[in-house]
Amino acid sequence: MTWKKWFGIISGVVLVGLIGTISYFYMTDPARLTTAPDFTNLTRTVTNNVLLSPSEPDVMLTFDERYTYIGGQTFTLYGTAAVEQHFFVEAYPDGRMKSFFWLQFERFLPDNTFTYDYSESPLQIQIGDYDFFTDTAAGIVSPIFQLGQPGTDGYLARKFAADRGYHYPDEYLYARLVHIPDVERRTELLIIFIDDLAPTGFSATALREGGEDAEEWPTVEATMLDKIRSVMQIEPLPS
């Protein structure tokens, strides 16, 4: 058998294997089940920087005047949960994103029995009368996948902002706050906060564990959480 025939056989086997691998990852990736966003059928309303949520949970969120509401969207996430997102942006004078609130009201669909569990979150903080499981980090935007993985809630949130001219800062502070409103744990209020890291004078790499400025992280983290509390209020929905 000539080398050309061997090459053809090997190339065919490699190609079949590659197609099989791609097909496997596609079929097992729940992101393929995420639906396209709808920008019209929103349950929550926003007027004068006050977001009113009539359910799950029934709350009123008020944002400082430095923030601009840029809209919201709904979609089904991974085929398992109904999601409604709303977004507020604080911008620099030149229009670049300075900080960003991404609010997500999420509920598992009735055809599954999943529940939310954030018991391993490193922090729990209080805003008003509401408890939040909390995670924080110093982040860096990927130069290749700037919006993240398509089909994820994060991708859809970042794309929504980017389509309106707002992109994450290259390096940023990140906080994820999650409130579970009832004992069934099948609904959640998720608040993602992004803040430009540049004004701190630190880099994300330096602030991370093992970095040269890692000992400064508790102070930077506390300052970020204080900012969240100062620019966002959450209260029960007025009756």
Side-chain angles (χ1 to χ4, degrees):
M1 187 178 293
T2 67
W3 71 268
K4 289 184 178 179
K5 289 183 178 180
W6 277 113
F7 180 78
I9 293 172
I10 294 171
S11 297
V13 171
V14 171
L15 180 60
V16 170
L18 180 61
I19 293 173
T21 299
I22 293 173
S23 298
Y24 172 79
F25 281 110
Y26 173 76
M27 294 304 297
T28 58
D29 182 4
R32 69 186 177 87
L33 301 175
T34 297
T35 62
D38 177 6
F39 309 113
T40 58
N41 297 314
L42 302 175
T43 301
R44 284 87 188 172
T45 59
V46 176
T47 304
N48 297 326
N49 272 19
V50 179
L51 184 148
L52 301 179
S53 173
S55 63
E56 299 176 341
D58 51 342
V59 293
M60 177 173 68
L61 293 116
T62 304
F63 293 86
D64 187 89
E65 62 182 8
R66 76 187 74 172
Y67 286 87
T68 299
Y69 176 64
I70 61 171
Q73 60 187 2
T74 64
F75 53 89
T76 298
L77 180 64
Y78 304 150
T80 61
V83 170
E84 181 168 321
Q85 296 178 331
H86 292 266
F87 308 100
F88 292 81
V89 172
E90 177 189 17
Y92 286 110
D94 63 3
R96 291 180 299 116
M97 180 188 290
K98 183 177 182 181
S99 67
F100 182 58
F101 276 100
W102 145 21
L103 311 177
Q104 183 159 313
F105 299 85
E106 185 172 323
R107 167 178 44 84
F108 281 124
L109 299 176
D111 62 358
N112 64 62
T113 59
F114 301 139
T115 58
Y116 295 103
D117 181 8
Y118 294 91
S119 57
E120 294 185 0
S121 291
L123 295 173
Q124 290 191 44
I125 69 169
Q126 188 98 5
I127 301 180
D129 295 328
Y130 297 87
D131 296 315
F132 288 89
F133 295 100
T134 304
D135 297 88
T136 62
I140 302 173
V141 172
S142 168
I144 301 175
F145 301 106
Q146 294 187 357
L147 301 181
Q149 179 187 351
T152 63
D153 50 349
Y155 172 87
L156 290 173
R158 288 186 284 270
K159 186 177 187 305
F160 186 98
D163 287 347
R164 288 149 184 82
Y166 298 105
H167 299 267
Y168 277 21
D170 292 339
E171 298 198 4
Y172 55 87
L173 295 169
Y174 164 93
R176 181 189 68 174
L177 290 71
V178 184
H179 174 70
I180 306 297
D182 56 49
V183 295
E184 293 183 354
R185 295 186 293 118
R186 286 183 49 80
T187 63
E188 67 174 6
L189 167 58
L190 172 70
I191 301 174
I192 301 292
F193 179 71
I194 299 296
D195 203 19
D196 188 9
L197 181 59
T200 69
F202 300 110
S203 71
T205 301
L207 286 172
R208 292 172 178 174
E209 185 175 355
E212 60 182 352
D213 295 315
E215 72 280 359
E216 301 293 340
W217 174 247
T219 300
V220 173
E221 177 190 61
T223 300
M224 172 179 58
L225 296 176
D226 285 344
K227 177 175 180 178
I228 293 172
R229 293 187 183 96
S230 69
V231 299
M232 181 190 74
Q233 296 179 345
I234 178 169
E235 304 169 272
L237 191 68
S239 56

